[in-house]
Amino acid sequence: MTLRHTAWPAPGAPGQVLGGVAIGARSGTPDADWPLQHLRAPLLSAGAASLQEVWHTDGPVASGHSDGVHWRRSADVLYGVIELHEAEGAPTSDTSPLQAASQLAYERVFSLLRAQGTPHLWRVWNYLADINGESHGLERYRQFNQGRHTAFVQAQRDTGGQVPAACALGVAAGPLSVAFLAGTTPLVPLENPRQVSAWNYPAQYGPRAPTFSRAALACPRGQEVLFVSGTASIVGHETLHAGDVAAQCVESVRNIGCVVQEANRVARSGRAFSVEGLSHRVYVRHAHDVDTVQRTLQPLLREASVVCVQADICRADLLVEIESQAIHAMPAA
Ligand code: 3EB
């Protein structure tokens, strides 16, 4: 499995495409015939207005559309995307449209993964409109958490411990968009000793805790992949440095460093992961903070690849969130 950044639309790339994400302004590109998540958020990094990140694999692939999920798989890895308009859920008197749509999206993902024999959900990218807005007496991120949690319970999946790495960000408008990587082999979930596990957050952050692990190690054939979830300036369960975007950047990188250290206790490729060796996507709440963010991160992340995107973070007091990943080859057996 490899991940490539390309201009959008992508020139013919070698290897088989599994799927990917297009970040930034839509430019009238015809939809790809492989699953492509559209992250409808401004790209803040210097250069182009849009960027495509594509997962490649070698060997034969199969693809399909199942119940609204567009997917493509190799022998051991499946990438999929589902976009749902909130009206497509089945709200009841005590579930909001967003909650119902979130539950439905995850139910469809889980039934696809069962059918495809790739039950292990490794990494999920969640985007929804107006994440900090309130309706039905609850912040919309918390409604999303309720729907996601219910789907995990109904599929008889763990809601703590063996849960995927993830991120959940707000965009200005558009459908609920969920992309995911899953596989035939279990992930090794990782937690951050400086942070309360998100699946164990106290009720002050909503009636249902978020269902994600701080990071996951997954092993597609011959490789070890580290997915670090969206990571923010949270210590214990509390936000630190409200109002100070530079300090939030430093705290977030410190958290990523701790998770990387946890990964290195169990990694088996023989090569240690490091913060400078990961590639990062940085979500910045206020576009005008991007210079401060880049200036603060540069000495910490050095030569690492960093893509900055404007998006809303799931707590109103968070100004920045960073997610990261790296792929290491396993030594030949
Ligand atoms: C946090 O640590 C910040 O709900 O899937 C980070 C990563 C966050 C994933 C999710 C939320 C999610 O609580 C927010």
Side-chain angles (χ1 to χ4, degrees), residues 126 141 145 148 166-168 201 210 212 214 229-230 232 234 314 321:
N126 302 287
Y141 172 59
N145 277 322
R148 172 170 59 176
C167 60
Y201 278 166
F212 71 96
R214 297 300 179 186
S229 292
I234 295 173
C314 65
E321 181 173 304

Side-chain angles (χ1 to χ4, degrees), residues 185-258:
T185 53
L187 60 87
V188 178
L190 301 167
E191 293 298 319
N192 179 347
R194 299 182 81 223
Q195 295 184 303
V196 172
S197 294
W199 38 265
N200 234 354
Y201 278 166
Q204 73 196 80
Y205 301 102
R208 289 287 180 234
T211 312
F212 71 96
S213 57
R214 297 300 179 186
L217 267 179
C219 290
R221 195 170 43 81
Q223 294 179 314
E224 183 169 65
V225 183
L226 175 62
F227 298 105
V228 180
S229 292
T231 303
S233 178
I234 295 173
V235 174
H237 57 73
E238 284 169 343
T239 299
L240 294 194
H241 319 297
D244 183 344
V245 71
Q248 289 196 13
C249 286
V250 173
E251 202 68 54
S252 302
V253 173
R254 200 174 292 151
N255 278 329
I256 293 170
C258 284

Side-chain angles (χ1 to χ4, degrees), residues 84-108 136 147 150 154 176:
L84 276 185
H85 292 279
E86 291 174 30
E88 292 179 73
T92 63
S93 54
D94 43 36
T95 58
S96 71
L98 174 59
Q99 178 181 346
S102 306
Q103 183 181 332
L104 184 60
Y106 274 83
E107 283 171 356
R108 289 178 173 183
H136 303 77
T150 303
Q154 293 201 338
L176 170 67

Side-chain angles (χ1 to χ4, degrees), residues 32-49:
D33 66 345
W34 35 267
L36 178 63
Q37 182 173 45
H38 185 208
L39 171 44
R40 297 161 176 84
L43 192 62
L44 301 175
S45 309

Side-chain angles (χ1 to χ4, degrees), residues 96-177:
S96 71
L98 174 59
Q99 178 181 346
S102 306
Q103 183 181 332
L104 184 60
Y106 274 83
E107 283 171 356
R108 289 178 173 183
V109 170
F110 292 148
S111 62
L112 171 72
L113 297 186
R114 248 190 322 271
Q116 288 293 322
T118 52
H120 303 285
L121 187 56
W122 292 343
R123 177 42 162 122
V124 190
W125 293 263
N126 302 287
Y127 302 101
L128 52 136
D130 191 22
I131 197 167
N132 302 125
E134 190 170 314
S135 77
H136 303 77
L138 199 62
E139 187 186 29
R140 283 168 51 81
Y141 172 59
R142 299 175 182 200
Q143 298 174 27
F144 163 78
N145 277 322
Q146 288 184 304
R148 172 170 59 176
H149 185 273
T150 303
F152 272 77
V153 170
Q154 293 201 338
Q156 295 180 299
R157 288 175 172 258
D158 286 349
T159 53
Q162 197 75 21
V163 290
C167 60
L169 283 302
V171 294
L176 170 67
S177 175

